[in-house]
Amino acid sequence: MTTAERPAPEGPVRRGVPPRRPREGAVRQAVVRWVPGLVVLVTALVLWGPSLVDTARRADRVDPIARFLLAVAVVVLLSHLLGSLMVRLRQPPVVGEVLGGLLLGPSALGWIWPSGQAWIFSPEVRGGLDLAAQLGLSVFVFLLGCELREVRLRGPVVAAVGGGMVLPFLAGGAIALAAPDVLAGSAGKGWGYPAFFGLALSVTALPVLARTLVDLRMDRTPLGGYALTTAALGDGVAWLALTGILAASAGGGSGKLVSTVGLTLALVAVTVLWVRPALAALIRRSERRSSPERLLLPVLLTGALGYAGLTQLIGLHPAVGAFLFGTVVPHQSSVIERMQQHFQGFTLAVLLPVFFAGVGLKVSIGSLGRDGGHWLVLVVVVLAACVTKLVGAGGAARLAGLGRADAMRFGALMNCRGVTEIVLAGIGWQAHLISTAGLTVLVLMALLTTAMTGPMVLAVRPAPGG
């Protein structure tokens, strides 16, 4: 190769020769691009900044729509920034999103800057956020119901569900009965309160577990498939149990209970006998069209929200109806998979962070107070949640034939509670089954157990290539 044919060196070839500056042109372009806009922004702030500050100080002069949109923008930005940070720390993004909601609530922003928190999240804004949160929750739980479709009942799966739910349920119920002054809400007088708290310790978050398995490169392993199937069936059992608890805990006496149970059974029968085959026929027909999404998208969304409204009228939570409708949506269709991706995009990006913010505005770490007994309850709940999952789910998996290491990993995976726990805790708080302190305990427990899942699995899992 001649000298002319050799590529030019990237750096200096002799000592004393200064390096080239290939980025000078890029810097000049950045200056030309950003400086005019910066000048306009500074000029606008100088001219109209005082008026904007004066308007912000007088809360009654701020348009409620503008304040609501600003609040949503703050929620989405902070949630996704913290979610991205958690991903860099090898944690599920939901941990950061929930932390964002907590930071905007009385536990952080309300404590550091109470006037600013009250201005951003006024009662009108909170009401709007609650309504948007219910919309996002209904769509998200509908998607959870759709995920239940792949479950196949097998002996090891049933054993794992039983072991992973019964022991945490008993431990949670015992803790609830031992600490009613801290955890019980105004409606926590009967058996519904300990049953709900036991159920809260029993759940496993299917969507967060699926993401965790991908991060751990276990999504295509037999153990990963076993964990996903068990979590999906466990979610179905949990929502069914929650339906019974809410029906029994609703006010109105035995007559109201009988009415709620009867209407619920009728809705389930109509859904299975009529709605499910009608949806299957509609999907088969729409697949012959050039744009099936135009028909199916509004039908699925209307069905999910309509069922949510029906169960609210019956006396249950809207999430129960949305989950029920999701379980009967046929899945042997690429069109349905695309529909779910459409729903997931906006729901996970906007509506679910709004729901987390709504929960965070109700959670107050200060509600635990300075009483050491309250903090002891939190420690006991976290320990019980971890130990019972490891012993119950891991022990059942061991008896079902898994090796010792795989059984321990399985128990650690079942300890992932994530968003499902947050949703369940919010429902219990709305039904007055648990207090604000009880909600705080469950949310903190969900964050801690979810953050523990990856490290616990890695502690007994050999490193890739090791």
Side-chain angles (χ1 to χ4, degrees):
M1 180 181 293
T2 64
T3 304
E5 294 173 338
R6 294 176 183 172
E10 296 182 358
V13 295
R14 295 189 307 272
R15 181 173 299 178
V17 178
R20 299 179 182 178
R21 299 180 179 177
R23 296 180 59 86
E24 289 183 355
V27 172
R28 187 180 300 109
Q29 292 179 1
V31 171
V32 172
R33 179 181 303 173
W34 291 103
V35 168
L38 183 61
V39 171
V40 172
L41 177 61
V42 172
T43 304
L45 289 176
V46 171
L47 294 177
W48 295 290
S51 175
L52 183 63
V53 171
D54 180 66
T55 301
R57 288 176 178 174
R58 307 171 100 183
D60 56 339
R61 293 177 54 181
V62 180
D63 189 324
I65 298 178
R67 191 183 302 186
F68 171 77
L69 294 176
L70 288 173
V72 173
V74 170
V75 167
V76 172
L77 177 62
L78 182 60
S79 296
H80 285 284
L81 285 177
L82 293 178
S84 300
L85 176 62
M86 289 298 108
V87 171
R88 290 182 175 272
L89 297 177
R90 305 185 71 177
Q91 290 289 338
V94 67
V95 174
E97 293 169 359
V98 176
L99 279 177
L102 291 177
L103 292 178
L104 293 174
S107 299
L109 182 60
W111 177 59
I112 298 172
W113 189 22
S115 60
Q117 202 255 3
W119 187 90
I120 298 175
F121 299 103
S122 65
E124 295 82 4
V125 171
R126 290 192 181 198
L129 289 176
D130 286 340
L131 293 177
Q134 290 302 319
L135 175 63
L137 177 61
S138 298
V139 178
F140 176 74
V141 175
F142 160 71
L143 294 173
L144 285 184
C146 294
E147 292 295 334
L148 195 64
R149 62 183 184 262
E150 297 295 343
V151 172
R152 296 179 181 178
L153 292 178
R154 294 177 295 181
V157 172
V158 175
V161 171
M165 296 192 73
V166 172
L167 197 58
F169 180 85
L170 295 176
I175 294 173
L177 292 175
D181 295 339
V182 180
L183 304 174
S186 58
K189 305 299 181 183
W191 63 267
Y193 153 66
F196 171 82
F197 206 86
L199 182 65
L201 264 66
S202 304
V203 298
T204 298
L206 177 61
V208 182
L209 175 62
R211 174 60 185 268
T212 302
L213 289 171
V214 172
D215 293 339
L216 296 175
R217 302 177 183 177
M218 296 176 62
D219 53 314
R220 298 183 182 275
T221 64
L223 181 61
Y226 184 39
L228 283 176
T229 304
T230 304
L233 182 58
D235 272 3
V237 173
W239 285 105
L240 181 62
L242 179 65
T243 302
I245 293 172
L246 293 177
S249 302
S254 58
K256 176 65 175 177
L257 174 60
V258 172
S259 174
T260 301
V261 172
L263 290 173
T264 302
L265 293 177
L267 180 61
V268 172
V270 169
T271 303
V272 174
L273 297 177
W274 293 351
V275 175
R276 183 173 185 173
L279 279 175
L282 180 63
I283 291 172
R284 288 194 300 268
R285 184 176 179 181
S286 65
E287 287 177 340
R288 296 193 290 267
R289 297 190 175 191
S290 57
S291 300
E293 293 87 352
R294 294 183 179 179
L295 174 63
L296 291 179
L297 190 63
V299 167
L300 294 180
L301 186 58
T302 301
L305 299 181
Y307 264 70
L310 282 176
T311 50
Q312 174 74 12
L313 291 175
I314 288 174
L316 303 175
H317 195 273
V320 175
F323 184 82
L324 173 62
F325 182 75
T327 59
V328 298
V329 173
H331 63 277
Q332 296 89 357
S333 172
S334 59
V335 177
I336 295 300
E337 293 181 358
R338 293 200 300 270
M339 294 298 95
Q340 291 176 358
Q341 293 175 359
H342 290 321
F343 287 134
Q344 286 176 351
F346 187 72
T347 301
L348 298 181
V350 179
L351 295 180
L352 207 57
V354 170
F355 170 77
F356 293 146
V359 174
L361 291 173
K362 301 176 182 68
V363 168
S364 175
I365 297 178
S367 64
L368 298 179
R370 298 182 179 179
D371 189 342
H374 293 184
W375 291 94
L376 179 61
V377 170
L378 172 62
V379 173
V380 170
V381 168
V382 174
L383 288 177
C386 296
V387 172
T388 54
K389 280 290 186 180
L390 289 172
V391 175
R398 179 72 171 136
L399 294 176
L402 268 68
R404 178 176 299 178
D406 281 343
M408 292 177 63
R409 295 171 199 151
F410 178 79
L413 290 170
M414 292 297 102
N415 194 41
C416 178
R417 288 173 174 85
V419 64
T420 305
E421 179 68 39
I422 307 294
V423 169
L424 204 68
I427 293 174
W429 185 86
Q430 289 178 346
H432 305 290
L433 290 171
I434 57 175
S435 63
T436 301
L439 175 65
T440 303
V441 167
L442 289 180
V443 170
L444 292 178
M445 182 269 288
L447 284 175
L448 292 173
T449 54
T450 303
M452 291 177 190
T453 301
M456 289 173 66
V457 174
L458 291 174
V460 292
R461 176 177 181 266

